[in-house]
Amino acid sequence: VADSDTMSETLRTCYVYLNQTSRSFAAVIQALDGELRQAVCIFYLVLRALDTVEDDMTIPLDVKVLLLQNFHTFLYQPDWRYCESQEKDRQVLEDFPSISKEFRNLAMVYQDVIANICHKMGVGMAQFLEKKVNSLKDWDTYCHYVAGLVGIGLSRLFSASELEDQVVGQDTALANSMGLFLQKTNIIRDYLEDQREGREFWPREVWSKYAETLSDLASPANLQTALQCMNDLITGALQHVPDVLKYLSRLHNQSVFNFCAIPQVMAIATLAACYNNPHVFRGVVKIRKGQAVTLMMGATNIDAVKRIMFQYSRAIGQKVPSTDVSAARTQQILSRIQTLSEAEGRLLSRSHLAPIYVSFAMFFAAVSWQYWRMLSQEQDKYVPRQ
């Protein structure tokens, strides 16, 4: 964890903002090794500031478009700040000079990655301010802009730090899949919350096969078709799991592996909880506290992650209704996941990693508990998508 005694005042401020705004990921970011920790912290805060602009419905559309498209340039303007936001995380905009100063203090290899991703994400966010998610291609594109790019940026930071091989940062397709799996899981789980807030992220190409409007799925009279629609989307999201396993199999550094693996196992557990579950259309589906801690404690190597993926793919398979429209496709992808999870020799072994000694296990247990507490507190409200 970062040593505050050796930090500049602005870097200490950045870690305060990280803990105030990232909630669920603050502990895991701060467990990263070496200079990568600071780079990921600043990357997160820059994207949190960008996301705060996008989320603020009080900013006029024309102003917001320009802010999003030009946000990457503010990283190089020492005095730029935005003081007109009404969002709860507005401090990252009001004190953006502290964040941008620490960004400029990073090694150039990190600066280039962060600025590039910020530029692409801002342009993509501006594009979707008025564009709806109609086709499955739109869905992938939207998820790419708000989450896939995060995966690509993080992967490039991992490689730039030399904690991971260059291929991790170069294979953007796998890194994108990592982000898409998490984002699609969030979108599926948050159907009711988004409906209440007037947001629609489920792709029309899918839901229009089951209902006249997306909001119709919330009606008790339409429960069976709503479940079929959701199961269809979950089946699509599961297509990313083979890429997730391949990506994780390439990682060498333990702190990076934990950082990447924990959200992925939480995601498949969430999909298993949501699959064919009427409660998605009535309230909030949560992973149980004990279940979450077990997942976080267990996801420390690729073989363990494969066992978790196998376990939850089987759990989903046991719930697939024979009458479900997408049942055959669901069973097909589940079978593929189980085959990949069983074939220990088909993926790169991570046996070269040091074993998890008692001291590390105790530390990771503490981090996992802190991670879960923040995640639980945030789920009681609304978790902004990353």
Side-chain angles (χ1 to χ4, degrees):
V1 178
D3 182 2
S4 61
D5 292 338
T6 61
M7 288 189 215
S8 66
E9 183 178 347
T10 48
L11 184 55
R12 278 198 299 271
T13 299
C14 286
Y15 277 104
V16 170
Y17 292 155
L18 173 67
N19 282 282
Q20 288 176 345
T21 59
S22 73
R23 294 121 185 164
S24 57
F25 285 107
V28 190
I29 289 174
Q30 290 174 102
L32 288 168
D33 289 341
E35 62 184 21
L36 179 61
R37 180 192 311 120
Q38 185 173 331
V40 173
C41 171
I42 300 305
F43 184 43
Y44 180 87
L45 291 176
V46 169
L47 298 189
R48 168 54 60 192
L50 182 67
D51 192 55
T52 302
V53 171
E54 185 203 24
D55 286 345
D56 194 332
M57 302 308 292
T58 68
I59 302 175
L61 186 62
D62 56 340
V63 175
K64 185 183 289 190
V65 167
L66 290 175
L67 284 172
L68 292 174
Q69 291 176 338
N70 295 304
F71 203 87
H72 64 291
T73 66
F74 305 148
L75 293 167
Y76 302 98
Q77 298 177 32
D79 298 324
W80 185 88
R81 67 180 74 228
Y82 188 78
C83 299
E84 297 173 43
S85 175
Q86 304 302 311
E87 289 291 296
K88 64 182 181 303
D89 291 334
R90 59 185 176 273
Q91 72 267 31
V92 295
L93 290 170
E94 293 172 351
D95 190 21
F96 197 74
S98 290
I99 298 169
S100 67
K101 179 181 178 181
E102 289 304 325
F103 163 81
R104 293 188 300 276
N105 285 340
L106 293 172
M108 194 58 66
V109 286
Y110 298 132
Q111 288 189 42
D112 289 346
V113 170
I114 294 171
N116 176 263
I117 296 298
C118 181
H119 184 194
K120 290 179 177 177
M121 189 176 291
V123 169
M125 285 177 167
Q127 176 185 326
F128 274 89
L129 285 176
E130 293 188 290
K131 177 181 174 66
K132 290 192 174 182
V133 180
N134 289 318
S135 66
L136 283 168
K137 184 178 179 182
D138 290 339
W139 202 32
D140 279 352
T141 302
Y142 171 75
C143 291
H144 166 73
Y145 282 133
V146 300
L149 283 172
V150 179
I152 291 169
L154 286 168
S155 300
R156 290 176 176 169
L157 293 178
F158 299 156
S159 293
S161 73
E162 299 185 350
L163 292 175
E164 297 298 345
D165 295 338
Q166 290 303 304
V167 68
V168 172
Q170 291 167 351
D171 195 336
T172 56
L174 289 190
N176 187 60
S177 252
M178 292 280 284
L180 263 59
F181 185 54
L182 301 182
Q183 187 67 16
K184 289 178 180 180
T185 297
N186 286 343
I187 289 173
I188 292 166
R189 178 199 62 197
D190 292 342
Y191 166 82
L192 193 61
E193 185 72 42
D194 285 338
Q195 282 293 302
R196 289 169 176 168
E197 297 290 334
R199 295 184 292 258
E200 293 193 352
F201 296 109
W202 284 23
R204 175 185 289 268
E205 182 178 329
V206 174
W207 64 252
S208 63
K209 295 187 294 185
Y210 302 93
E212 290 293 320
T213 66
L214 184 55
S215 60
D216 287 348
L217 297 178
S219 170
N222 298 325
L223 179 60
Q224 290 308 310
T225 52
L227 290 173
Q228 291 206 22
C229 180
M230 178 175 62
N231 294 345
D232 196 338
L233 289 175
I234 290 175
T235 299
L238 289 169
Q239 306 296 323
H240 296 291
V241 172
D243 282 349
V244 168
L245 290 172
K246 186 173 181 181
Y247 180 98
L248 293 175
S249 74
R250 289 175 170 172
L251 301 179
H252 298 288
N253 179 270
Q254 188 69 60
S255 72
V256 172
F257 188 88
N258 296 340
F259 178 86
C260 295
I262 289 172
Q264 302 295 332
V265 297
M266 296 282 279
I268 196 165
T270 298
L271 291 182
C274 290
Y275 189 87
N276 210 46
N277 185 349
H279 197 63
V280 173
F281 302 97
R282 300 171 184 163
V284 179
V285 174
K286 291 184 181 181
I287 299 173
R288 296 188 311 277
K289 186 178 297 185
Q291 181 185 8
V293 173
T294 299
L295 286 169
M296 290 183 282
M297 287 292 293
T300 56
N301 61 73
I302 187 62
D303 290 342
V305 168
K306 286 192 283 185
R307 285 193 292 271
I308 291 168
M309 293 294 188
F310 183 86
Q311 171 191 345
Y312 284 103
S313 63
R314 285 195 66 179
I316 294 171
Q318 291 167 358
K319 296 198 292 182
V320 177
S322 59
T323 56
D324 199 273
V325 175
S326 55
R329 287 192 300 115
T330 307
Q331 294 290 9
Q332 185 178 31
I333 185 57
L334 292 174
S335 176
R336 187 180 175 205
I337 293 169
Q338 289 167 31
T339 299
L340 290 171
S341 299
E342 285 178 318
E344 301 289 339
R346 293 188 188 181
L347 294 175
L348 180 64
S349 170
R350 294 181 68 253
S351 59
H352 55 280
L353 280 177
I356 308 303
Y357 295 109
V358 173
S359 59
F360 178 81
M362 291 175 65
F363 165 74
F364 194 59
V367 169
S368 297
W369 180 249
Q370 184 181 353
Y371 178 97
W372 168 254
R373 284 186 62 195
M374 288 185 287
L375 188 65
S376 298
Q377 289 165 5
E378 188 56 22
Q379 282 182 333
D380 289 338
K381 299 176 282 184
Y382 173 68
V383 186
R385 294 194 187 86
Q386 303 306 316

Coordinates of all heavy atoms in Angstrom, one line a residue, residues 9-39:
E9 N 2.2 16.5 -1.6 CA 0.9 16.8 -1.1 C -0.2 16.5 -2.1 O -1.3 16.0 -1.8 CB 0.9 18.3 -0.8 CG -0.5 18.8 -0.1 CD -0.5 20.2 0.3 OE1 0.6 20.8 0.3 OE2 -1.6 20.8 0.5
T10 N 0.1 16.8 -3.4 CA -0.9 16.6 -4.5 C -1.2 15.1 -4.7 O -2.3 14.6 -4.9 CB -0.5 17.2 -5.8 OG1 0.8 16.9 -6.1 CG2 -0.7 18.7 -5.7
L11 N -0.1 14.3 -4.5 CA -0.3 12.8 -4.7 C -1.1 12.2 -3.5 O -2.0 11.4 -3.7 CB 1.1 12.1 -4.8 CG 1.0 10.6 -5.0 CD1 0.2 10.3 -6.3 CD2 2.4 10.0 -5.2
R12 N -0.9 12.8 -2.3 CA -1.7 12.3 -1.2 C -3.1 12.7 -1.4 O -4.0 11.9 -1.1 CB -1.2 13.0 0.1 CG 0.0 12.3 0.8 CD 0.2 12.7 2.2 NE 0.4 14.2 2.4 CZ 1.6 14.7 2.3 NH1 2.7 14.0 2.2 NH2 1.7 16.0 2.5
T13 N -3.4 13.9 -2.0 CA -4.7 14.3 -2.3 C -5.4 13.4 -3.3 O -6.5 13.0 -3.2 CB -4.7 15.7 -2.9 OG1 -4.2 16.6 -1.9 CG2 -6.1 16.2 -3.3
C14 N -4.6 12.9 -4.3 CA -5.1 12.0 -5.3 C -5.5 10.7 -4.7 O -6.6 10.1 -5.0 CB -4.0 11.7 -6.4 SG -3.8 13.1 -7.5
Y15 N -4.8 10.2 -3.7 CA -5.2 8.9 -3.0 C -6.4 9.1 -2.2 O -7.2 8.2 -2.0 CB -4.0 8.4 -2.2 CG -3.0 7.5 -3.1 CD1 -1.8 8.0 -3.5 CD2 -3.4 6.3 -3.5 CE1 -1.0 7.3 -4.3 CE2 -2.6 5.5 -4.3 CZ -1.3 6.0 -4.7 OH -0.5 5.3 -5.5
V16 N -6.6 10.3 -1.6 CA -7.8 10.6 -0.9 C -9.0 10.6 -1.9 O -10.0 10.0 -1.6 CB -7.7 12.0 -0.2 CG1 -9.1 12.5 0.3 CG2 -6.7 12.0 0.9
Y17 N -8.8 11.2 -3.0 CA -9.9 11.2 -4.0 C -10.2 9.8 -4.5 O -11.3 9.4 -4.8 CB -9.6 12.1 -5.2 CG -9.5 13.6 -4.9 CD1 -8.8 14.4 -5.7 CD2 -10.2 14.1 -3.8 CE1 -8.7 15.8 -5.4 CE2 -10.2 15.4 -3.5 CZ -9.4 16.3 -4.3 OH -9.4 17.6 -4.0
L18 N -9.1 9.0 -4.7 CA -9.3 7.6 -5.1 C -10.2 6.8 -4.1 O -11.1 6.2 -4.5 CB -7.9 6.9 -5.2 CG -7.9 5.4 -5.5 CD1 -8.5 5.1 -6.9 CD2 -6.5 4.8 -5.3
N19 N -9.9 7.0 -2.8 CA -10.7 6.3 -1.8 C -12.1 6.8 -1.7 O -13.1 6.1 -1.4 CB -10.0 6.3 -0.5 CG -8.9 5.4 -0.4 OD1 -9.1 4.2 -0.2 ND2 -7.6 5.8 -0.6
Q20 N -12.3 8.1 -2.1 CA -13.6 8.7 -2.0 C -14.5 8.3 -3.2 O -15.7 8.3 -3.1 CB -13.5 10.2 -1.9 CG -13.0 10.8 -0.6 CD -12.8 12.3 -0.6 OE1 -12.8 12.9 -1.7 NE2 -12.7 12.9 0.5
T21 N -13.9 8.1 -4.3 CA -14.6 7.9 -5.6 C -14.6 6.5 -6.2 O -15.6 6.1 -6.8 CB -14.1 8.9 -6.7 OG1 -12.8 8.6 -6.9 CG2 -14.3 10.3 -6.2
S22 N -13.6 5.7 -5.9 CA -13.5 4.4 -6.6 C -14.2 3.3 -5.8 O -14.6 2.3 -6.3 CB -12.1 4.0 -6.9 OG -11.4 3.6 -5.7
R23 N -14.4 3.5 -4.5 CA -15.1 2.6 -3.6 C -14.6 1.2 -3.8 O -13.7 0.8 -3.1 CB -16.6 2.6 -3.9 CG -17.3 4.0 -3.6 CD -17.9 4.6 -4.8 NE -18.4 5.9 -4.4 CZ -18.7 6.8 -5.3 NH1 -18.6 6.5 -6.6 NH2 -19.2 8.0 -5.0
S24 N -15.2 0.4 -4.6 CA -14.9 -1.0 -4.7 C -13.5 -1.3 -5.1 O -12.9 -2.4 -4.7 CB -15.9 -1.7 -5.6 OG -15.9 -1.2 -6.9
F25 N -12.8 -0.5 -5.9 CA -11.5 -0.8 -6.4 C -10.4 -0.2 -5.7 O -9.2 -0.4 -6.0 CB -11.5 -0.5 -7.9 CG -12.2 -1.5 -8.8 CD1 -13.4 -1.2 -9.3 CD2 -11.8 -2.8 -8.9 CE1 -14.2 -2.1 -10.1 CE2 -12.5 -3.8 -9.7 CZ -13.7 -3.4 -10.3
A26 N -10.6 0.7 -4.8 CA -9.5 1.5 -4.2 C -8.5 0.6 -3.5 O -7.3 0.8 -3.7 CB -10.1 2.5 -3.2
A27 N -9.0 -0.4 -2.8 CA -8.1 -1.3 -2.0 C -7.2 -2.1 -3.0 O -6.0 -2.3 -2.8 CB -8.8 -2.2 -1.1
V28 N -7.8 -2.6 -4.1 CA -7.1 -3.4 -5.1 C -6.1 -2.6 -5.8 O -5.0 -3.1 -6.1 CB -8.1 -4.2 -6.0 CG1 -7.4 -5.2 -6.8 CG2 -9.2 -4.8 -5.2
I29 N -6.5 -1.4 -6.2 CA -5.5 -0.5 -6.9 C -4.3 -0.2 -6.0 O -3.1 -0.3 -6.4 CB -6.2 0.9 -7.3 CG1 -7.2 0.7 -8.4 CG2 -5.1 1.9 -7.7 CD1 -8.0 1.9 -8.7
Q30 N -4.5 0.0 -4.7 CA -3.4 0.3 -3.8 C -2.6 -0.9 -3.5 O -1.5 -0.7 -2.9 CB -4.0 1.0 -2.5 CG -4.5 2.4 -2.9 CD -5.2 3.1 -1.7 OE1 -4.6 3.9 -1.0 NE2 -6.4 2.7 -1.4
A31 N -3.0 -2.1 -3.8 CA -2.3 -3.3 -3.6 C -1.3 -3.6 -4.8 O -0.6 -4.5 -4.7 CB -3.2 -4.5 -3.3
L32 N -1.4 -2.8 -5.9 CA -0.6 -3.0 -7.0 C 0.9 -2.7 -6.7 O 1.2 -1.9 -5.8 CB -1.0 -2.2 -8.2 CG -2.3 -2.6 -8.9 CD1 -2.8 -1.5 -9.8 CD2 -2.1 -3.9 -9.7
D33 N 1.8 -3.4 -7.4 CA 3.2 -3.2 -7.1 C 3.8 -1.9 -7.7 O 3.5 -1.5 -8.8 CB 4.0 -4.4 -7.6 CG 3.7 -5.7 -6.8 OD1 3.3 -5.6 -5.7 OD2 4.0 -6.8 -7.4
G34 N 4.8 -1.3 -7.0 CA 5.7 -0.3 -7.5 C 5.0 0.9 -8.1 O 3.9 1.4 -7.7
E35 N 5.6 1.4 -9.2 CA 5.1 2.7 -9.8 C 3.8 2.4 -10.6 O 3.1 3.4 -10.9 CB 6.2 3.2 -10.8 CG 6.6 2.3 -11.9 CD 7.7 2.8 -12.8 OE1 8.4 3.7 -12.3 OE2 7.8 2.4 -13.9
L36 N 3.5 1.2 -10.8 CA 2.2 0.9 -11.5 C 1.0 1.4 -10.7 O 0.0 1.8 -11.2 CB 2.1 -0.6 -11.8 CG 0.8 -1.1 -12.4 CD1 0.6 -0.5 -13.8 CD2 0.8 -2.6 -12.5
R37 N 1.2 1.3 -9.3 CA 0.1 1.7 -8.4 C -0.3 3.2 -8.7 O -1.4 3.5 -8.8 CB 0.5 1.5 -7.0 CG -0.5 1.9 -5.9 CD 0.1 2.0 -4.6 NE 0.9 0.8 -4.3 CZ 2.2 0.8 -4.0 NH1 2.9 1.9 -3.9 NH2 2.8 -0.3 -3.7
Q38 N 0.7 4.0 -8.8 CA 0.5 5.4 -9.0 C -0.1 5.7 -10.4 O -1.0 6.5 -10.5 CB 1.8 6.2 -8.8 CG 1.6 7.8 -8.9 CD 2.9 8.5 -8.5 OE1 3.7 8.0 -7.8 NE2 3.0 9.7 -9.1
A39 N 0.4 5.0 -11.4 CA -0.1 5.2 -12.7 C -1.6 4.8 -12.8 O -2.4 5.5 -13.5 CB 0.7 4.4 -13.7

